[in-house]
Amino acid sequence: MLIGELSRRTGVKARLLRYYEAQGLLDVRREQNGYRDYDEDSVVTVRRVRALLDAGLSTEVIRSVLPCVRGEAQEAPEFDWCADLRAVLQGEMTAMDEQMADLRRTRGTLAGYLAQSPVGPTRGALPRTG
């Protein structure tokens, strides 16, 4: 199928499909005229990629775990627990936990600044930038 058909069937823009190809997430054949020719499995692959992206994984991580994904479930893919898959996903979750902790600290700092502000009118507007 051509890229427009794959885009229509998956709801993913052609530009993103080309990006997935460039990232090694999507296999494609080229016709003699240079057009991309996707097989039927590409629809499932794109759905798997979207589900993994929605889980917060980078395309680099997805490239390593994609061979272990099974089924067509878009929201919650099923896995064959390939070697190191658990460690990769655990590492990603640990990194997310650290980012969330950093955000909580940053939010706490901003909340402290706001706690110092007067409740009534202020002296004036902030200067405009740009």
Side-chain angles (χ1 to χ4, degrees):
M1 85 186 76
L2 297 177
I3 196 167
E5 174 71 7
L6 182 59
S7 175
R8 185 186 66 73
R9 290 180 60 187
T10 60
V12 176
K13 294 183 186 287
R15 183 176 180 178
L16 267 179
L17 295 173
R18 287 189 290 271
Y19 175 74
Y20 295 166
E21 177 189 348
Q23 295 298 304
L25 304 177
L26 188 58
D27 293 326
V28 63
R29 290 181 309 278
R30 292 285 184 158
E31 295 181 356
Q32 284 188 334
N33 61 8
Y35 288 0
R36 288 171 171 85
D37 181 29
Y38 298 93
D39 60 22
E40 199 62 33
D41 290 341
S42 296
V43 174
V44 174
T45 299
V46 170
R47 289 178 180 156
R48 290 173 178 167
V49 168
R50 295 301 307 164
L52 294 169
L53 285 168
D54 288 346
L57 299 179
S58 69
T59 55
E60 181 180 346
V61 171
I62 292 171
R63 186 172 46 253
S64 70
V65 303
L66 197 55
C68 302
V69 179
R70 300 290 173 254
E72 291 192 43
Q74 288 175 271
E75 285 87 31
E78 296 176 13
F79 295 97
D80 279 343
W81 290 95
C82 307
D84 300 326
L85 177 59
R86 178 173 291 284
V88 168
L89 295 180
Q90 186 64 50
E92 289 299 305
M93 198 163 65
T94 299
M96 287 178 189
D97 289 342
E98 290 169 1
Q99 290 173 334
M100 290 177 1
D102 288 344
L103 285 172
R104 280 191 291 276
R105 279 191 293 276
T106 302
R107 187 187 186 285
T109 300
L110 290 176
Y113 295 161
L114 287 171
Q116 297 173 29
S117 71
V119 177
T122 58
R123 289 183 283 163
L126 290 173
R128 292 188 174 195
T129 59

